[in-house]
Amino acid sequence: MILESFPVGPLACNCTLMGDEDAHEAIVIDPGDEVGRIHKRLTELGLKLKQILVTHAHIDHVGGALKLKRLTGAPIFLNENDIPLLKMMEAQAAWLGIQTPETAPPDGSLTDGLVVGLDRFPAQVIHTPGHTQGSVCLHFAPLKLLIAGDTLFAGSIGRTDLPGGNFDQIIDSLQSRVLTLPDETRVLPGHGPATNIGEERDTNPFLRTM
Ligand SMILES: [Zn+2]
């Protein structure tokens, strides 16, 4: 398996590329920016992009998705509850003072329980609203891996002061849907370093009260 995670764009969103070198297929999660670099890496590895998965519709996570789709033909999946945010791309770009990326409605919704990813490395969608209404985590159970988007960070959680954010809801999502995963589950957050569920249960100041 190929698993590469690297920060892209001015907000350093962690973009993840997962590939199956035998099937020559890949998925890309959160191509927020630097699409040329992502596409070059896929080409270098000789991988055909099968799916573009977006954890939520904030500009730093979704900004490059349509460009990557145009380069590869891969469909974009995003939870339908974030479509209002996708339509606010101009406002989102204004918050950051950057150019508005072109976007399009997703090809499919990352609905709760849906299985996505590669045949050999499937992931189950866990809907975790709170940071945004359509925020999801992707749980690759056989790999003991969680792609957490901006729901959970090492030592912190996603902000809830932007449109669609709700603090009580993100805490509920984390307690009822994320901390229930096995302790050894490795977590790749949407920004910053990797962590694991046990570590966050024990030390994350937002989660210790449970
Ligand atoms: Zn976000």
Side-chain angles (χ1 to χ4, degrees):
M1 184 190 64
I2 295 160
L3 182 63
E4 298 183 0
S5 195
F6 45 91
V8 295
L11 294 186
C13 161
N14 287 328
C15 173
T16 298
L17 186 164
M18 183 182 285
D20 178 340
E21 57 268 78
D22 296 327
H24 308 288
E25 287 181 335
I27 57 169
V28 166
I29 304 163
D30 286 353
D33 202 350
E34 302 186 42
V35 171
R37 173 186 175 194
I38 298 165
H39 186 242
K40 181 164 172 264
R41 192 66 189 129
L42 289 165
T43 307
E44 281 169 0
L45 294 165
L47 301 174
K48 179 178 162 53
L49 188 60
K50 200 180 157 196
Q51 292 167 354
I52 299 164
L53 306 175
V54 183
T55 60
H56 65 293
H58 279 154
I59 188 169
D60 52 324
H61 295 256
V62 75
L66 184 58
K67 202 167 163 188
L68 187 59
K69 175 183 171 174
R70 286 183 177 147
L71 285 170
T72 60
I76 300 170
F77 291 86
L78 168 76
N79 184 278
E80 64 194 9
N81 294 294
D82 262 7
I83 287 177
L85 267 183
L86 194 66
K87 290 179 177 160
M88 286 178 58
M89 204 49 59
E90 214 167 288
Q92 291 197 45
W95 298 339
L96 298 177
I98 60 174
Q99 258 201 325
T100 309
E102 219 183 315
T103 55
D107 299 285
S109 179
L110 289 179
T111 52
D112 189 60
L114 185 72
V115 175
V116 292
L118 301 170
D119 292 342
R120 275 174 67 202
F121 311 118
Q124 190 160 29
V125 176
I126 306 175
H127 184 212
T128 52
H131 175 62
T132 68
Q133 289 307 299
S135 280
V136 301
C137 294
L138 300 172
H139 185 216
F140 296 83
L143 300 176
K144 298 182 167 67
L145 172 70
L146 184 78
I147 303 288
D150 286 358
T151 295
L152 179 62
F153 301 124
S156 189
I157 63 172
R159 60 190 288 184
T160 54
D161 58 330
L162 294 170
N166 182 316
F167 183 79
D168 292 341
Q169 205 180 20
I170 195 172
I171 294 295
D172 182 60
S173 288
L174 284 160
Q175 293 193 343
S176 66
R177 320 213 67 191
V178 176
L179 291 189
T180 48
L181 299 174
D183 274 3
E184 65 273 21
T185 307
R186 190 173 168 224
V187 177
L188 292 183
H191 300 268
T195 181
N196 65 65
I197 293 293
E199 175 80 15
E200 294 312 306
R201 183 186 290 105
D202 291 346
T203 65
N204 190 312
F206 294 92
L207 304 175
R208 273 185 309 183
T209 52
M210 77 176 288

